[in-house]
Short mmCIF file of all heavy atoms in Angstrom, two decimals:
data_model
loop_
_atom_site.label_atom_id
_atom_site.label_comp_id
_atom_site.label_asym_id
_atom_site.label_seq_id
_atom_site.Cartn_x
_atom_site.Cartn_y
_atom_site.Cartn_z
N GLU A 61 37.22 226.73 -136.70
CA GLU A 61 36.16 227.13 -137.63
C GLU A 61 34.96 227.67 -136.86
O GLU A 61 34.34 228.66 -137.26
CB GLU A 61 35.73 225.98 -138.53
CG GLU A 61 34.60 226.40 -139.47
CD GLU A 61 34.50 225.60 -140.74
OE1 GLU A 61 35.35 224.72 -140.97
OE2 GLU A 61 33.56 225.86 -141.52
N PHE A 62 34.62 227.03 -135.74
CA PHE A 62 33.52 227.53 -134.93
C PHE A 62 33.83 228.93 -134.40
O PHE A 62 32.95 229.81 -134.37
CB PHE A 62 33.22 226.59 -133.77
CG PHE A 62 32.14 227.10 -132.85
CD1 PHE A 62 30.80 227.02 -133.20
CD2 PHE A 62 32.47 227.68 -131.63
CE1 PHE A 62 29.81 227.51 -132.36
CE2 PHE A 62 31.48 228.17 -130.78
CZ PHE A 62 30.15 228.08 -131.16
N ALA A 63 35.06 229.16 -133.98
CA ALA A 63 35.45 230.46 -133.42
C ALA A 63 35.24 231.60 -134.40
O ALA A 63 35.00 232.74 -133.99
CB ALA A 63 36.91 230.41 -132.96
N ALA A 64 35.32 231.30 -135.70
CA ALA A 64 35.13 232.33 -136.72
C ALA A 64 33.77 232.22 -137.41
O ALA A 64 33.51 232.96 -138.36
CB ALA A 64 36.24 232.21 -137.76
N SER A 65 32.92 231.35 -136.92
CA SER A 65 31.67 231.03 -137.60
C SER A 65 30.62 232.11 -137.43
O SER A 65 30.26 232.49 -136.31
CB SER A 65 31.12 229.70 -137.06
OG SER A 65 29.77 229.52 -137.39
N GLU A 66 30.08 232.58 -138.55
CA GLU A 66 28.96 233.52 -138.47
C GLU A 66 27.70 232.81 -137.99
O GLU A 66 26.89 233.40 -137.27
CB GLU A 66 28.73 234.18 -139.82
CG GLU A 66 29.78 235.23 -140.18
CD GLU A 66 29.88 236.31 -139.10
OE1 GLU A 66 28.84 236.83 -138.66
OE2 GLU A 66 31.01 236.63 -138.70
N ALA A 67 27.52 231.57 -138.39
CA ALA A 67 26.37 230.82 -137.88
C ALA A 67 26.47 230.64 -136.38
O ALA A 67 25.47 230.73 -135.65
CB ALA A 67 26.27 229.46 -138.58
N GLY A 68 27.68 230.38 -135.88
CA GLY A 68 27.87 230.25 -134.44
C GLY A 68 27.51 231.52 -133.70
O GLY A 68 26.89 231.49 -132.64
N ALA A 69 27.90 232.68 -134.27
CA ALA A 69 27.57 233.95 -133.65
C ALA A 69 26.08 234.22 -133.72
O ALA A 69 25.47 234.73 -132.76
CB ALA A 69 28.34 235.08 -134.33
N GLU A 70 25.44 233.89 -134.85
CA GLU A 70 24.01 234.14 -135.01
C GLU A 70 23.18 233.28 -134.06
O GLU A 70 22.19 233.74 -133.51
CB GLU A 70 23.61 233.86 -136.46
CG GLU A 70 22.14 234.14 -136.76
CD GLU A 70 21.80 233.98 -138.22
OE1 GLU A 70 22.71 234.03 -139.07
OE2 GLU A 70 20.60 233.79 -138.53
N ILE A 71 23.59 232.05 -133.87
CA ILE A 71 22.80 231.12 -133.05
C ILE A 71 23.08 231.30 -131.57
O ILE A 71 22.15 231.32 -130.75
CB ILE A 71 23.09 229.66 -133.48
CG1 ILE A 71 22.60 229.43 -134.91
CG2 ILE A 71 22.43 228.67 -132.53
CD1 ILE A 71 23.10 228.15 -135.55
N PHE A 72 24.34 231.43 -131.20
CA PHE A 72 24.72 231.45 -129.79
C PHE A 72 25.09 232.83 -129.26
O PHE A 72 25.19 233.01 -128.04
CB PHE A 72 25.91 230.49 -129.56
CG PHE A 72 25.59 229.06 -129.86
CD1 PHE A 72 26.00 228.48 -131.04
CD2 PHE A 72 24.87 228.30 -128.96
CE1 PHE A 72 25.70 227.15 -131.33
CE2 PHE A 72 24.56 226.98 -129.24
CZ PHE A 72 24.97 226.41 -130.41
N GLY A 73 25.31 233.80 -130.14
CA GLY A 73 25.79 235.11 -129.73
C GLY A 73 27.31 235.13 -129.72
O GLY A 73 27.97 234.12 -129.46
N ARG A 74 27.89 236.29 -129.99
CA ARG A 74 29.34 236.40 -130.10
C ARG A 74 30.03 236.15 -128.76
O ARG A 74 31.12 235.58 -128.71
CB ARG A 74 29.74 237.76 -130.67
CG ARG A 74 29.28 237.93 -132.12
CD ARG A 74 29.80 239.19 -132.78
NE ARG A 74 29.29 239.29 -134.13
CZ ARG A 74 29.81 238.65 -135.18
NH1 ARG A 74 30.90 237.92 -135.03
NH2 ARG A 74 29.27 238.78 -136.38
N GLN A 75 29.38 236.56 -127.66
CA GLN A 75 30.00 236.33 -126.35
C GLN A 75 30.13 234.84 -126.07
O GLN A 75 31.18 234.37 -125.62
CB GLN A 75 29.15 236.98 -125.25
CG GLN A 75 29.23 238.49 -125.20
CD GLN A 75 28.26 239.02 -124.17
OE1 GLN A 75 27.07 239.20 -124.45
NE2 GLN A 75 28.74 239.27 -122.97
N TYR A 76 29.05 234.11 -126.33
CA TYR A 76 29.10 232.69 -126.02
C TYR A 76 30.05 231.98 -126.97
O TYR A 76 30.81 231.08 -126.55
CB TYR A 76 27.72 232.05 -126.11
CG TYR A 76 27.71 230.67 -125.45
CD1 TYR A 76 27.58 230.55 -124.08
CD2 TYR A 76 27.89 229.52 -126.21
CE1 TYR A 76 27.63 229.31 -123.48
CE2 TYR A 76 27.94 228.27 -125.61
CZ TYR A 76 27.81 228.18 -124.24
OH TYR A 76 27.87 226.94 -123.64
N ARG A 77 30.05 232.35 -128.24
CA ARG A 77 30.98 231.74 -129.20
C ARG A 77 32.42 231.92 -128.73
O ARG A 77 33.24 230.98 -128.79
CB ARG A 77 30.78 232.36 -130.58
CG ARG A 77 31.59 231.70 -131.69
CD ARG A 77 31.51 232.47 -132.99
NE ARG A 77 32.15 233.79 -132.89
CZ ARG A 77 32.33 234.61 -133.90
NH1 ARG A 77 31.88 234.29 -135.12
NH2 ARG A 77 32.91 235.79 -133.74
N ARG A 78 32.75 233.11 -128.27
CA ARG A 78 34.12 233.38 -127.81
C ARG A 78 34.49 232.53 -126.61
O ARG A 78 35.57 231.92 -126.56
CB ARG A 78 34.26 234.87 -127.45
CG ARG A 78 35.63 235.25 -126.91
CD ARG A 78 35.65 236.66 -126.36
NE ARG A 78 34.80 236.81 -125.18
CZ ARG A 78 35.14 236.43 -123.95
NH1 ARG A 78 36.33 235.86 -123.73
NH2 ARG A 78 34.33 236.62 -122.94
N VAL A 79 33.60 232.45 -125.61
CA VAL A 79 33.88 231.71 -124.39
C VAL A 79 33.98 230.21 -124.67
O VAL A 79 34.87 229.52 -124.17
CB VAL A 79 32.80 232.01 -123.32
CG1 VAL A 79 32.87 231.02 -122.17
CG2 VAL A 79 32.98 233.43 -122.81
N TYR A 80 33.08 229.72 -125.52
CA TYR A 80 33.12 228.29 -125.86
C TYR A 80 34.44 227.95 -126.54
O TYR A 80 35.11 226.96 -126.18
CB TYR A 80 31.94 227.94 -126.76
CG TYR A 80 31.81 226.46 -127.05
CD1 TYR A 80 31.07 225.64 -126.21
CD2 TYR A 80 32.43 225.88 -128.15
CE1 TYR A 80 30.95 224.28 -126.46
CE2 TYR A 80 32.33 224.52 -128.41
CZ TYR A 80 31.58 223.73 -127.56
OH TYR A 80 31.47 222.38 -127.80
N ALA A 81 34.84 228.74 -127.52
CA ALA A 81 36.09 228.48 -128.22
C ALA A 81 37.28 228.58 -127.29
O ALA A 81 38.23 227.78 -127.38
CB ALA A 81 36.24 229.45 -129.39
N ALA A 82 37.26 229.53 -126.36
CA ALA A 82 38.37 229.68 -125.41
C ALA A 82 38.50 228.44 -124.54
O ALA A 82 39.62 227.96 -124.28
CB ALA A 82 38.17 230.93 -124.56
N CYS A 83 37.38 227.92 -124.06
CA CYS A 83 37.42 226.71 -123.23
C CYS A 83 37.96 225.53 -124.01
O CYS A 83 38.78 224.75 -123.50
CB CYS A 83 36.03 226.38 -122.70
SG CYS A 83 35.49 227.43 -121.34
N LYS A 84 37.51 225.37 -125.25
CA LYS A 84 37.96 224.23 -126.04
C LYS A 84 39.43 224.35 -126.43
O LYS A 84 40.16 223.35 -126.44
CB LYS A 84 37.07 224.06 -127.26
CG LYS A 84 35.64 223.68 -126.90
CD LYS A 84 35.61 222.39 -126.08
CE LYS A 84 34.35 222.19 -125.30
NZ LYS A 84 34.38 221.00 -124.44
N ARG A 85 39.89 225.55 -126.75
CA ARG A 85 41.32 225.73 -127.04
C ARG A 85 42.16 225.36 -125.82
O ARG A 85 43.23 224.74 -125.95
CB ARG A 85 41.59 227.18 -127.44
CG ARG A 85 41.11 227.55 -128.84
CD ARG A 85 41.23 229.04 -129.04
NE ARG A 85 40.90 229.48 -130.39
CZ ARG A 85 40.30 230.62 -130.66
NH1 ARG A 85 39.99 231.46 -129.68
NH2 ARG A 85 40.03 230.95 -131.91
N HIS A 86 41.68 225.75 -124.65
CA HIS A 86 42.39 225.42 -123.42
C HIS A 86 42.46 223.90 -123.22
O HIS A 86 43.53 223.36 -122.91
CB HIS A 86 41.66 226.08 -122.24
CG HIS A 86 42.05 225.53 -120.90
ND1 HIS A 86 43.20 225.89 -120.24
CD2 HIS A 86 41.42 224.61 -120.10
CE1 HIS A 86 43.29 225.23 -119.09
NE2 HIS A 86 42.22 224.46 -118.98
N GLU A 87 41.34 223.20 -123.43
CA GLU A 87 41.34 221.75 -123.26
C GLU A 87 42.27 221.08 -124.28
O GLU A 87 42.98 220.12 -123.95
CB GLU A 87 39.92 221.21 -123.40
CG GLU A 87 39.00 221.63 -122.26
CD GLU A 87 37.57 221.16 -122.43
OE1 GLU A 87 37.28 220.43 -123.42
OE2 GLU A 87 36.74 221.51 -121.60
N ILE A 88 42.27 221.58 -125.52
CA ILE A 88 43.16 221.04 -126.54
C ILE A 88 44.62 221.21 -126.13
O ILE A 88 45.43 220.29 -126.27
CB ILE A 88 42.88 221.73 -127.89
CG1 ILE A 88 41.52 221.30 -128.44
CG2 ILE A 88 43.97 221.41 -128.91
CD1 ILE A 88 41.01 222.14 -129.59
N LYS A 89 44.95 222.38 -125.62
CA LYS A 89 46.33 222.65 -125.20
C LYS A 89 46.76 221.70 -124.09
O LYS A 89 47.88 221.15 -124.11
CB LYS A 89 46.45 224.10 -124.73
CG LYS A 89 47.84 224.50 -124.31
CD LYS A 89 47.89 225.97 -123.89
CE LYS A 89 49.28 226.37 -123.44
NZ LYS A 89 49.34 227.81 -123.03
N VAL A 90 45.88 221.46 -123.12
CA VAL A 90 46.23 220.56 -122.01
C VAL A 90 46.44 219.14 -122.52
O VAL A 90 47.43 218.48 -122.20
CB VAL A 90 45.13 220.59 -120.93
CG1 VAL A 90 45.38 219.51 -119.89
CG2 VAL A 90 45.07 221.96 -120.26
N LEU A 91 45.51 218.66 -123.34
CA LEU A 91 45.61 217.28 -123.82
C LEU A 91 46.77 217.10 -124.79
O LEU A 91 47.39 216.02 -124.84
CB LEU A 91 44.30 216.86 -124.49
CG LEU A 91 43.13 216.65 -123.51
CD1 LEU A 91 41.82 216.46 -124.27
CD2 LEU A 91 43.39 215.44 -122.63
N ALA A 92 47.09 218.14 -125.55
CA ALA A 92 48.22 218.04 -126.48
C ALA A 92 49.54 217.87 -125.73
O ALA A 92 50.51 217.35 -126.30
CB ALA A 92 48.28 219.28 -127.37
N GLY A 93 49.60 218.27 -124.48
CA GLY A 93 50.81 218.12 -123.68
C GLY A 93 50.94 216.77 -123.01
O GLY A 93 51.92 216.53 -122.30
N MET A 94 49.96 215.89 -123.22
CA MET A 94 50.00 214.55 -122.60
C MET A 94 50.42 213.52 -123.64
O MET A 94 49.70 213.30 -124.63
CB MET A 94 48.62 214.21 -122.04
CG MET A 94 48.13 215.14 -120.96
SD MET A 94 46.47 214.64 -120.38
CE MET A 94 46.16 215.93 -119.17
N VAL A 95 51.57 212.89 -123.43
CA VAL A 95 52.03 211.83 -124.33
C VAL A 95 51.41 210.52 -123.86
O VAL A 95 51.49 210.15 -122.69
CB VAL A 95 53.56 211.75 -124.32
CG1 VAL A 95 54.04 210.67 -125.28
CG2 VAL A 95 54.18 213.09 -124.68
N THR A 96 50.79 209.79 -124.78
CA THR A 96 50.03 208.59 -124.42
C THR A 96 50.93 207.36 -124.33
O THR A 96 52.04 207.33 -124.89
CB THR A 96 48.93 208.33 -125.45
OG1 THR A 96 49.53 207.97 -126.71
CG2 THR A 96 48.05 209.55 -125.63
#
């Protein structure tokens, strides 16, 4: 939702919104591969 957020783009800028979402997607992918 943040990655598509107009408020996120207005407050942080589209470049920062994109980079933030990319980092978080990457972290989610890594943690999703860890069985607890």
Side-chain angles (χ1 to χ4, degrees):
E61 179 155 357
F62 176 77
S65 164
E66 286 304 313
E70 182 175 339
I71 295 167
F72 297 101
R74 294 187 182 278
Q75 287 175 276
Y76 195 82
R77 186 189 66 174
R78 178 189 66 79
V79 167
Y80 186 89
C83 283
K84 294 303 160 184
R85 286 171 176 146
H86 164 80
E87 292 177 4
I88 290 167
K89 182 179 179 180
V90 172
L91 288 171
M94 298 179 182
V95 182
T96 67

